[in-house]
Amino acid sequence: MEEGGLYTYDELLEPSSELLNVCDIRFVQQSRLLALEVREDGDYAEASRILENMLAALENVRGCEDIEYMRYLFELACTRKLQDRDDEAVVLLKQLLDTREKVLGLTHPHTLNASTVLADTYTDQGRSEEAAVLLENALPIVTEQTGPTSYKTLITMNNLARAYRNHGRLDEAKPLFEKSLTGLEDSREAHDQNLLNVMENLANLNADLGHYAEAEALFQRNLTIRIQSWGSEHPSTTKLMLSLASFYEANHRISDANVLYQRVLAAREKQLGRQHPDTLKVLAHVVRMSIGDARVEETIPIARGLVSARKANLRDSSDSDYLYNDRMHLEAQQLLAVCYQNAERYVESEELHTTVVSALREEEDDDRSLLLQSLYGIAMLRQDQGRYSESEELLNRALSIGHSENATADTMGLRKCTQGLAQALAKTGRVPEAENLFRELLAGSEIEHGESSLKTASVLVHFGFLYEDLEHWPEASSVMLRALQIREGKLGKDHDACSVPCQAIALCAEMQENYAEAESWYYRSMYGMEKILGCDHKDTVEVMRRLLGVLSALGKTSEEEELLAHCRLQGVYFVKRGVVEGTKNPGEEADDKSPQEVRQAEESKPPITRPKQTVRGLQDAPCASPYHAAKL
């Protein structure tokens, strides 16, 4: 011990059995402060170790009803929350709440604090009704004890608003968030952590309500304060970056989301190391962002590395960490399976999906999202193989599991499985049943999220894909046009997410021989996809190919040549009637110019101008492009 009754860092980090057997009050308090300091630096595992060791010592020396024991129990529960181990946090908080009610009473501030944190954890678990009950009971007591504008009242108000938001009671949540934020701004410093958390919660609520500009402004303001206060690599800053990245991802701003995920990944690799669970969690986001990329084969080794790292963490797990790391290992395997699936390596994909399904126990796992994803993956593989009855059986099984009484709601997983089932039904000639499933999905989304929400637009896009598969071109065009109008209204006409419905509308027009309309939509789709996916992505190349066919059908030779020049400038080449385009005459052989020489020649030519978009009526007749892609 140093002068003044302070223990050394080494004594606190690795206390002797003598210190643990005595549990001197100064030693106990200083150890707790060290654990909080370590946790603040982002090392949750080390903070947990210190807290667990001290809890065991305190239980032995002072008993479970000791005030310091309860403080340590509370801090360990908070640490579990930061580790996303909410199930363990709930067990600890219930124990704490029972003890504080017994020792301190129902209305003691420490008891209310445990109640509000437990409610907050319930909210994180999707148990928002239970959370709301606890918080509705706590808020009037806290308000009476501390005042309507006190710090504790404002935080409790924020927690209740979170529960309302997660329960879909958005209109009740917003005034609570706004009142909490205004009160904290009046009484706290700008960099107060809880103030920034409330600001983040309000941003997420605005996103739910479709107020995207307000949401992004709050996110950016929040991020600026955190960077100025703590730096761009601080755990609090990178945590908000993840929230903002998720916001961008949900709004189809994939490139913006990926930039933030990469920044967080670099920070965590530097601070925690490449194998740390929190680093691997961000790496999983990066892999997911790359799955639809043209270079998915390059993503596969990264995903394999993620699986190996998760397996190593599982092997080295303590008993308390094993279940968490086991699930993370399964999630990594499922992600690799999707990579294989997108790369058309179906055998490897199915093996991994099957491994995940076999490892999960349906009757014991309340959170069925991972199981639904893998069953959906196998079902889609079956559809690719033309085995629609097997796909239907798997998807019905997934929906039965997802709707079971004990399952935690996974709206997105259920929606994907329902969409997949509709596709399987349509492929086997049960079109009315497929349409009814989509109409039910659409009606549910309109009620839950609103007729003009982005989630409703997503359902409409998949409904349009169903009509495309059935070659019901007018219906597909109508549904896709409505989806496009929603996305344009929410995100703007130049937003990346508008390219997919544009491509679909173009295809519908082309298949009905309305080539002039198809031309304008294909140009818009092509430029959007070049920005999102790159010029060499297979989907972008397909749009280029079909646009060339449309221009050929319209007899627009000069525009056709300009587009071919644009494609060559991007390193994309096409063949028509067995000849590489770019030769002097259709009957001549391709010249010997290298792609680099072709590029230099094209750079001096003026760029293509986008034709003005028009919308006209549709007719009914098919057409196919005479072009296909070729490599020089």
Side-chain angles (χ1 to χ4, degrees), residues 176-191:
L176 287 173
F177 276 139
E178 290 175 336
K179 187 173 180 180
S180 177
L181 180 60
T182 301
L184 289 170
E185 286 177 329
D186 290 341
S187 61
R188 312 295 293 189
E189 296 291 337
H191 60 268

Side-chain angles (χ1 to χ4, degrees), residues 108-368:
H108 191 280
H110 289 176
T111 305
L112 293 170
N113 190 34
S115 177
T116 56
V117 176
L118 176 59
D120 200 40
T121 311
Y122 279 154
T123 301
D124 292 336
Q125 290 183 307
R127 299 163 64 178
S128 49
E129 285 186 85
E130 296 172 75
V133 170
L134 286 172
L135 291 163
E136 284 169 347
N137 290 333
L139 182 58
I141 299 172
V142 174
T143 303
E144 183 181 351
Q145 289 179 349
T146 64
T149 59
S150 72
Y151 190 68
K152 288 186 177 180
T153 298
L154 296 172
I155 296 305
T156 306
M157 198 179 293
N158 165 74
N159 292 342
L160 178 57
R162 284 188 70 238
Y164 284 160
R165 177 197 167 214
N166 283 23
H167 197 226
R169 297 160 66 177
L170 306 185
D171 291 336
E172 294 174 78
K174 187 164 186 179
L176 287 173
F177 276 139
E178 290 175 336
K179 187 173 180 180
S180 177
L181 180 60
T182 301
L184 289 170
E185 286 177 329
D186 290 341
S187 61
R188 312 295 293 189
E189 296 291 337
H191 60 268
D192 178 82
Q193 185 67 63
N194 281 318
L195 185 156
L196 295 174
N197 289 342
V198 175
M199 193 183 297
E200 180 183 354
N201 291 335
L202 181 56
N204 284 319
L205 178 71
N206 278 321
D208 293 341
L209 292 167
H211 305 160
Y212 302 113
E214 294 176 48
E216 185 173 7
L218 284 167
F219 273 125
Q220 292 290 359
R221 177 184 162 203
N222 198 333
L223 184 59
T224 299
I225 293 171
R226 293 183 193 228
I227 291 173
Q228 291 174 347
S229 302
W230 303 304
S232 60
E233 296 183 349
H234 189 275
S236 175
T237 306
T238 55
K239 182 175 178 291
L240 185 75
M241 285 182 184
L242 289 177
S243 294
L244 180 54
S246 179
F247 168 76
Y248 284 146
E249 187 180 345
N251 284 276
H252 307 279
R253 293 170 60 174
I254 303 302
S255 57
D256 291 331
N258 199 33
V259 167
L260 286 172
Y261 283 134
Q262 293 283 2
R263 285 180 66 184
V264 176
L265 180 63
R268 294 202 172 168
E269 284 181 344
K270 178 180 175 182
Q271 294 170 345
L272 305 175
R274 293 189 173 186
Q275 301 295 109
H276 193 281
D278 289 344
T279 305
L280 297 177
K281 191 185 300 183
V282 183
L283 180 60
H285 284 297
V286 172
V287 170
R288 192 161 40 79
M289 290 292 95
S290 305
I291 284 176
D293 194 89
R295 292 162 289 279
V296 67
E297 286 285 357
E298 297 175 18
T299 305
I300 288 174
I302 302 173
R304 280 204 202 104
L306 177 64
V307 172
S308 298
R310 288 296 194 191
K311 186 175 182 179
N313 283 348
L314 179 62
R315 185 180 59 245
D316 299 335
S317 293
S318 63
D319 290 342
S320 60
D321 291 337
Y322 185 84
L323 289 177
Y324 171 80
N325 284 325
D326 182 44
R327 187 170 186 85
M328 292 300 100
H329 180 225
L330 291 173
E331 285 188 6
Q333 288 178 293
Q334 200 269 340
L335 196 56
L336 178 57
V338 176
C339 288
Y340 282 140
Q341 197 164 345
N342 282 29
E344 300 180 0
R345 294 166 63 170
Y346 299 128
V347 174
E348 294 158 291
S349 177
E350 184 169 350
E351 286 177 357
L352 279 171
H353 278 309
T354 304
T355 298
V356 173
V357 171
S358 300
L360 294 169
R361 298 180 180 179
E362 299 172 16
E363 68 278 6
E364 294 181 5
D365 187 11
D366 287 343
D367 182 2
R368 313 294 169 87

Side-chain angles (χ1 to χ4, degrees), residues 60-97:
N60 182 53
V61 176
R62 294 170 174 251
C64 296
E65 295 182 0
D66 178 74
I67 190 69
E68 290 297 332
Y69 178 89
M70 288 189 278
R71 285 174 176 164
Y72 268 88
L73 196 62
F74 176 78
E75 297 301 347
L76 181 59
C78 292
T79 305
R80 289 287 181 264
K81 281 175 58 64
L82 290 169
Q83 293 174 299
D84 292 327
R85 292 159 60 175
D86 288 340
D87 289 343
E88 297 171 54
V90 164
V91 172
L92 295 169
L93 288 165
K94 281 184 173 179
Q95 178 189 343
L96 176 64
L97 184 58

Side-chain angles (χ1 to χ4, degrees), residues 563-573 598-605:
L563 179 57
L564 285 166
H566 172 76
C567 295
R568 288 196 299 270
L569 194 62
Q570 307 302 325
V572 179
Y573 297 84
V598 172
R599 183 180 181 86
Q600 289 173 358
E602 300 299 343
E603 283 177 345
S604 60
K605 296 183 179 181

